[in-house]
Amino acid sequence: LLDLHASVGPEKHWYSDKEYERLSGVELVKNRIAMTSRLGGEVIIMHIPKEPDCAPLRKSLDELEPFAHDHGVRIAVENGSYDVIRRLLSEYDPSYLGTCYDSGHGNAAGDGLDNLETCKDRLISLHLNDNDSTGDQHQPLFMGTVDWERLAGIIAQSAYQKCVSMEIVIRNSGIEDEDAFLGHAFDTGTRFTEMVEAKSGG
């Protein structure tokens, strides 16, 4: 297992201001940390709120830290509000907290790559996908308007050391056959891998 996108639920939400929901959410995240560790992974990915001062989130991060260290799993916060991300990265150690870059989110926001540049030293997970910048479409690589050349350069100079990892769906690809879709995904992933390797001199 490379990494795992951990989850929240209607009454299991790790940054809820309702304490019973927050505690249930922490237990759910612990479950995902333990599952990731057992399956050989080292990172879980979590969404975070846009508010910079979310006390329940910090309380949960503080409670989860020893559990995550014990299981050898780090938390990657997925890109949304970089004001929040940068603040969290300044408060928590790299051995515990990093970031996941979703290229679709970044492209739709318009400033994703500029923001990624500022914290590439904490990049520990990738959700690579494409779109036309109007929304989160999870298209295969090179199908939309993501600047893949620039992204390859950033990743090559970042802390990320693992394989290219995609978060794509067949329904927005224009490809109906599943085998053809998977073959296309492999080919585009290989192409992007070669771009990253070229940027890093490898």
Side-chain angles (χ1 to χ4, degrees), residues 29-58:
V29 176
K30 283 183 176 180
N31 173 276
R32 300 308 190 254
I33 289 172
M35 179 166 65
T36 300
S37 176
R38 184 169 181 177
L39 294 173
E42 299 173 347
V43 173
I44 65 164
I45 299 99
M46 295 295 296
H47 291 285
I48 56 173
K50 295 180 179 180
E51 299 77 22
D53 296 308
C54 182
L57 174 64
R58 283 169 173 76

Side-chain angles (χ1 to χ4, degrees), residues 6-134:
S7 52
V8 298
E11 293 188 335
K12 297 177 185 288
H13 203 299
W14 75 316
Y15 59 84
S16 174
D17 56 6
K18 297 177 181 177
E19 184 66 359
Y20 81 91
E21 289 183 356
R22 190 193 69 79
L23 289 171
S24 296
V26 168
E27 288 304 311
L28 182 60
V29 176
K30 283 183 176 180
N31 173 276
R32 300 308 190 254
I33 289 172
M35 179 166 65
T36 300
S37 176
R38 184 169 181 177
L39 294 173
E42 299 173 347
V43 173
I44 65 164
I45 299 99
M46 295 295 296
H47 291 285
I48 56 173
K50 295 180 179 180
E51 299 77 22
D53 296 308
C54 182
L57 174 64
R58 283 169 173 76
K59 190 174 182 180
S60 293
L61 282 169
D62 291 345
E63 292 174 8
L64 286 164
E65 187 167 9
F67 188 85
H69 280 304
D70 287 347
H71 287 79
V73 173
R74 291 183 288 173
I75 295 177
V77 292
E78 188 163 334
N79 53 309
S81 169
Y82 271 93
D83 288 340
V84 179
I85 290 173
R86 280 187 284 266
R87 187 174 298 187
L88 290 175
L89 295 180
S90 72
E91 294 173 5
Y92 292 92
D93 193 81
S95 65
Y96 173 49
L97 197 73
T99 187
C100 168
Y101 186 71
D102 185 308
S103 57
H105 293 177
N107 195 49
D111 58 358
L113 295 179
D114 291 338
N115 281 309
L116 178 60
E117 283 272 16
T118 68
C119 55
K120 62 188 177 184
D121 60 323
R122 299 290 290 272
L123 183 65
I124 60 174
S125 179
L126 295 173
H127 281 174
L128 299 181
N129 57 90
D130 216 335
N131 59 50
D132 61 6
S133 81
T134 64

